[in-house]
Amino acid sequence: MKPGAKLPTRKELAERFDVAGQTVQNGLEILRAEGLIFTAGNKGVFVADSDRPTRDVHEELKEIRSQMQALADRVNALEERCGPNGL
C-alpha cells in the first residue's frame, strides 16, 4: 500500500485474515509503534510516509525465530523440571 492509503477497518481485517479482532488490534499497535501507520481521529488508520529506512525483513524474521526458539527451549526445560503433573 502507498503512503497515505487508508487501511481496512479492524473488523474487515479480522474477517479477511480469519483472526480475532484483538489480534488485529495488537498488530496495528505494533505497526503504529514502528511508525508504519498512523490514526487520523475517527477517519481511520493510514499508511505512514516511508521516509525512514526499512529494516531487512529477513533479518528481523530470523531474529524473531531465534527468540521464539529460545523461549520454547525455556518452556521445555521448565516442563521437564516440573514433571508430568506440572508441579
Side-chain angles (χ1 to χ4, degrees):
M1 297 182 80
K2 294 182 179 180
K6 184 176 180 182
L7 271 62
T9 65
R10 282 181 287 230
K11 182 179 178 183
E12 291 169 341
L13 289 169
E15 289 173 358
R16 182 181 300 175
F17 296 104
D18 194 28
V19 297
Q22 186 61 48
T23 301
V24 172
Q25 180 63 32
N26 293 345
L28 292 173
E29 288 176 15
I30 291 168
L31 293 173
R32 188 176 296 110
E34 293 186 2
L36 298 173
I37 61 171
F38 65 94
T39 304
N42 291 333
K43 294 181 181 180
V45 179
F46 298 85
V47 177
D49 289 335
S50 58
D51 58 352
R52 68 178 185 87
T54 56
R55 291 181 65 183
D56 180 23
V57 174
H58 296 292
E59 285 299 316
E60 190 165 351
L61 286 172
K62 185 177 176 181
E63 179 183 336
I64 291 170
R65 285 187 183 113
S66 174
Q67 292 172 357
M68 290 175 64
Q69 184 61 52
L71 288 172
D73 293 345
R74 286 179 62 196
V75 168
N76 288 334
L78 287 170
E79 287 174 340
E80 288 176 12
R81 246 186 3 187
C82 292
N85 296 328
L87 298 175

